[in-house]
Amino acid sequence: MKALVYDAPKQFSVKEIPTPEPKAGEVRIKVLMTGVCGTDIHLHNGTFIGKYPLIPGHEMVGIIDKLGEGVNDEYTHFHVGQQVTMNGNFACGECESCKNGKPLFCEQLTCLGCNGDGAYAEYMVVPKKLVYDAEGIDPELVVFTEPLACTVHGMDVLQPKVGSDILLIGAGPTSAMFAQLLIHGGAGNVTVAASKEFKLKLLKEYGVNDTLLIDRSDSKKTAEILKKHRPNGYDIVIDATGAPSIQELCTGLVKKGGTVMFYGVGKQNSPIKLDAYDVFERELTIKGSFAQVNSFAGALAMLRSGRIRTDGLITHKFKLEEWQEVLNTHASDSSAHKLVVIP
Ligand SMILES: [Zn+2]
Ligand SMILES: [Zn+2]
């Protein structure tokens, strides 16, 4: 089979490698489509939890092609030809965090597509516990299951009070889904600020109340625009940019008793300035949300019901061999929203 293989950060090629055989309890999936994620770019640059050599790709939809021995029992009913997706994140179950009921903080968290082989390949072998039925849903929707599951976890962490006035900064594909979850979760008003007009326009169609065009590279001007929109502050501000210059603005944009959430994947070892006295005096709450391990079922339910819209998000489709173009498009094509690879 063909697969995109990274021998080390930045050193990739599309190779012909043996098609993997499913062992007992495993399922082989023929990959239909894999979503390109910011994480893939971090893996390209070697700035994430990657283990090389690596086949990246963790946002996948495919068709079961072969069942390993003993896959089906009284709880599991998979069949060849079934459309599925896979949750690539799984915890060891043995470390202190796992034993404390916090699998996301597992010291040996496996993420297929980050530190184990993923879905930029024609086939992928996955333990059955990670496979989710996705029959009857458009594959172009199913490919969003993983990023949507991450936002579902974000909602679980945020627990917004019904009626909250919320600002979300950033309008990438994940933000587009997070904004809709906030609306369905009872937000009083959702404002999204971002630097691409076409992304904001799409969010208006998805039901966002207010959109603000900002220039992320000019944080002073951005602060002015956001403050002018709500001189008394928001109840909740979510940073989905990961940019330190934007993260630094967040506590100054919330009301007394407000909450800031850092959701965007930022740069490691890039501390920001924070006015601790302001956090103390105004009793602010700061939260973080990183990945997910058990939010797939909820995400699939919302995609199946049409509760979460993704129409208009996929702007570019590539073949495996076009990986360099994927990287170029992600870096510099201003019309790019969600990119997908069809192996
Ligand atoms: Zn992702
Ligand atoms: Zn663990």
Side-chain angles (χ1 to χ4, degrees):
M1 68 165 187
K2 274 184 301 184
L4 171 70
V5 182
Y6 271 85
D7 291 312
K10 297 188 180 168
Q11 289 173 32
F12 65 87
S13 56
V14 175
K15 289 184 184 170
E16 192 64 42
I17 60 169
T19 303
E21 282 297 319
K23 294 196 278 290
E26 293 180 335
V27 167
R28 187 167 74 195
I29 301 168
K30 183 171 174 29
V31 180
L32 290 177
M33 192 183 287
T34 306
V36 178
C37 176
T39 302
D40 299 330
I41 311 302
H42 286 285
L43 290 166
H44 170 82
N45 291 318
T47 53
F48 198 57
I49 56 170
K51 257 193 202 161
Y52 307 85
L54 174 72
I55 301 172
H58 59 273
E59 301 179 2
M60 165 278 227
V61 53
I63 303 282
I64 293 182
D65 159 79
K66 193 172 180 184
L67 300 175
E69 210 180 297
V71 164
N72 284 326
D73 53 29
E74 65 178 300
Y75 307 109
T76 314
H77 309 280
F78 288 122
H79 63 266
V80 170
Q82 183 176 2
Q83 181 173 278
V84 292
T85 181
M86 67 105 194
N87 178 2
N89 294 350
F90 60 99
C92 74
E94 293 171 3
C95 70
E96 204 183 314
S97 300
C98 282
K99 284 185 167 169
N100 260 317
K102 293 179 177 170
L104 187 57
F105 307 135
C106 174
E107 272 106 86
Q108 312 177 68
L109 188 72
T110 299
C111 164
L112 298 183
C114 303
N115 56 14
D117 283 342
Y120 288 129
E122 286 180 288
Y123 295 89
M124 181 175 183
V125 163
V126 178
K128 69 172 182 176
K129 65 177 178 181
L130 304 180
V131 181
Y132 287 75
D133 171 67
E135 283 276 80
I137 318 176
D138 183 344
E140 293 200 4
L141 279 171
V142 182
V143 79
F144 287 98
T145 310
E146 194 275 341
L148 178 57
C150 290
T151 62
V152 169
H153 176 71
M155 279 296 276
D156 287 343
V157 174
L158 185 62
Q159 300 267 328
K161 191 167 179 280
V162 171
S164 295
D165 184 17
I166 305 175
L167 169 67
L168 176 62
I169 311 174
T174 309
S175 294
M177 292 186 278
F178 206 160
Q180 294 177 73
L181 282 184
L182 294 169
I183 294 166
H184 295 311
N189 193 94
V190 176
T191 303
V192 178
S195 50
K196 300 250 167 63
E197 202 139 25
F198 81 98
K199 294 184 179 176
L200 292 174
K201 197 167 162 268
L202 192 58
L203 279 162
K204 272 272 188 194
E205 287 172 29
Y206 288 172
V208 162
N209 303 94
D210 303 326
T211 56
L212 301 170
L213 191 64
I214 55 168
D215 175 0
R216 262 166 59 173
S217 62
D218 186 346
S219 62
K220 201 170 158 234
K221 185 84 198 293
T222 295
E224 273 171 31
I225 293 168
L226 300 178
K227 278 191 175 142
K228 194 174 164 215
H229 184 249
R230 282 288 189 277
N232 297 325
Y234 301 84
D235 295 312
I236 297 170
V237 173
I238 303 164
D239 170 69
T241 70
S245 62
I246 298 292
Q247 291 168 332
E248 224 154 51
L249 303 177
C250 291
T251 55
L253 294 169
V254 289
K255 285 179 189 163
K256 284 182 183 172
T259 298
V260 169
M261 173 178 259
F262 295 123
Y263 186 80
V265 182
K267 272 193 195 148
Q268 277 172 318
N269 306 317
S270 301
I272 59 165
K273 265 193 218 148
L274 176 78
D275 184 344
Y277 188 86
D278 181 48
V279 175
F280 154 77
E281 190 196 26
R282 300 199 303 129
E283 298 206 347
L284 307 184
T285 301
I286 297 174
K287 293 184 173 184
S289 173
F290 156 73
Q292 62 79 43
V293 285
N294 48 20
S295 305
F296 256 58
L300 273 165
M302 282 183 286
L303 290 170
R304 195 181 283 281
S305 68
R307 179 65 71 196
I308 295 294
R309 288 175 56 181
T310 62
D311 49 297
L313 287 180
I314 296 177
T315 52
H316 294 69
K317 294 177 182 173
F318 297 93
K319 294 182 199 146
L320 266 185
E321 293 82 354
E322 297 172 317
W323 186 248
Q324 184 59 54
E325 268 177 68
V326 173
L327 296 173
N328 298 345
T329 305
H330 190 277
S332 58
D333 186 337
S334 61
S335 71
H337 210 327
K338 187 69 175 179
L339 317 179
V340 297
V341 171
I342 298 174

